[in-house]
Amino acid sequence: MDAEAQESFREFVANRSSALLKTAVLLSGGDRHAGEDLLQNALIKAAGRWHRIDEPEAYVRQVLYRQQVSRWRLKWPRRELSVAEPPETGTDPDTSGAAELRLVMRGALARLTARQRTVLVLRYFEDLPEGEVAGILGCSVGTVRSATHRSLARLRALAPELAVLGPAADEQRPSRDYSPVEVRQ
């Protein structure tokens, strides 16, 4: 856009943006923030085609209408919920333990080989079943199992502090209460 077109666009925005904003707010159901977003997107589209637009206000209004109709057609409307106060984070305001755990985990993962890291990320971060991991890596399910076992062992060896920072081992595993079976004679 040349200097003359830029000045013309700035003039248009300065003179007509308040009226266009009112239209955008009404189109978005009275939500001022959604209206501002709608108008900003319409003005961005207009700026890109400014030198070809004959009637700028009609063009911007048409873009506003079409964008709002596109928003209505979304299968799941993307709306933000505005609240007066931020939601409560949790019962423990001290999150330094979680941050320390993330830092230790990141450092330990960085010290693993690429294959070990990949297996652990696919299995535990992406939560993929062993069969899918095997398909992605091009190996057998047994290879994924053994690689996962070895990777976890190496991770524990590289960062024994993870056991101290994380939840207790008893809390991670389901409790197995094996009662002795009575033998009848």
Side-chain angles (χ1 to χ4, degrees), residues 6-17:
Q6 281 183 351
E7 186 57 37
S8 171
F9 180 73
R10 285 186 187 136
E11 226 173 81
F12 171 76
V13 171
N15 292 334
R16 299 303 307 155
S17 65

Side-chain angles (χ1 to χ4, degrees), residues 79-157:
R79 303 195 96 194
E80 292 181 14
L81 179 62
S82 300
V83 292
E85 295 180 21
E88 294 181 22
T89 55
T91 57
D92 184 21
D94 182 23
T95 58
S96 62
E100 186 177 349
L101 178 63
R102 281 192 307 270
L103 289 172
V104 169
M105 179 61 83
R106 183 178 295 158
L109 284 173
R111 292 184 280 177
L112 292 175
T113 66
R115 183 177 176 93
Q116 290 171 332
R117 196 171 35 250
T118 303
V119 168
L120 292 179
V121 167
L122 290 174
R123 281 290 290 132
Y124 297 107
F125 182 73
E126 295 292 329
D127 199 25
L128 295 177
E130 292 168 340
E132 283 186 45
V133 174
I136 291 170
L137 297 178
C139 61
S140 70
V141 174
T143 303
V144 170
R145 287 180 184 157
S146 63
T148 302
H149 176 75
R150 288 185 190 118
S151 300
L152 286 173
R154 177 143 166 85
L155 186 67
R156 287 183 189 113

Side-chain angles (χ1 to χ4, degrees), residues 24-71:
V25 169
L26 290 174
L27 283 173
S28 44
D31 185 355
R32 182 170 176 85
H33 297 292
E36 289 172 349
D37 289 343
L38 191 65
L39 178 60
Q40 182 177 7
N41 290 336
L43 289 173
I44 289 170
K45 287 186 177 189
R49 296 174 179 87
W50 190 253
H51 62 282
R52 293 179 280 178
I53 298 174
D54 294 329
E55 296 181 38
E57 187 162 350
Y59 180 84
V60 171
R61 286 182 186 275
Q62 184 178 22
V63 171
L64 286 172
Y65 302 143
R66 288 185 178 174
Q67 283 184 333
Q68 188 59 32
V69 168
S70 294
R71 287 183 182 183

